[in-house]
Amino acid sequence: MKKKQFFSTGILLAFTTLVLTNCGGDKENAVDNPPQAEACAGINAKFTSDVLPLIKANCQRCHSTGGSAPFALETYDQIKSRASDIKTQAVTTSNMPKGGPALTASEKKILGCWIDNGSLNN
């Protein structure tokens, strides 16, 4: 009986170890991994071609005039004025967008680097 219990415990421990060591995921591309400042080297995100399409696709469902959110994110001035909040809520904590999937690591990098580089209207 003890051999069977020892064998079962060993298999359980081996399986648990295997699962825990292989479930770390891809840290660089993880959804909840915000870009680090040095990760922005060489990233030249443009407002019109990179940031605005990302905001339209992920934020404007709620953050539009008459939408359910308390403020719109439709124009450069509106987006720039909320850049710090956007970085905190969508890039760092993944609290946004509500009701939808979190931004991908690539989307977070674009948005975070654009904000870190001065939120330029380019």
Side-chain angles (χ1 to χ4, degrees):
M1 184 66 133
K2 285 190 177 195
K3 282 185 179 181
K4 187 175 182 182
Q5 184 180 11
F6 180 74
F7 182 73
S8 297
T9 303
I11 289 179
L12 180 61
L13 284 172
F15 178 74
T16 303
T17 302
L18 181 65
V19 168
L20 290 176
T21 57
N22 288 314
C23 287
D26 182 357
K27 298 293 184 197
E28 183 176 335
N29 294 312
V31 172
D32 289 330
N33 188 30
Q36 303 300 311
E38 64 273 6
C40 292
I43 302 294
N44 190 18
K46 306 277 187 203
F47 176 74
T48 304
S49 60
D50 302 311
V51 175
L52 187 57
L54 197 152
I55 296 287
K56 283 182 178 182
N58 294 284
C59 309
Q60 288 183 356
R61 180 179 44 147
C62 300
H63 289 278
S64 58
T65 304
S68 60
F71 55 88
L73 293 173
E74 298 172 312
T75 68
Y76 169 76
D77 289 332
Q78 290 169 332
I79 295 166
K80 181 174 169 83
S81 72
R82 297 286 182 162
S84 177
D85 295 331
I86 292 169
K87 185 168 182 188
T88 299
Q89 295 299 318
V91 177
T92 305
T93 65
S94 299
N95 288 333
M96 292 288 167
K98 289 199 185 279
L103 300 179
T104 65
S106 175
E107 291 169 329
K108 287 181 177 190
K109 190 173 221 176
I110 289 168
L111 206 52
C113 290
W114 176 75
I115 293 166
D116 288 347
N117 289 326
S119 308
L120 302 176
N121 187 3
N122 52 4

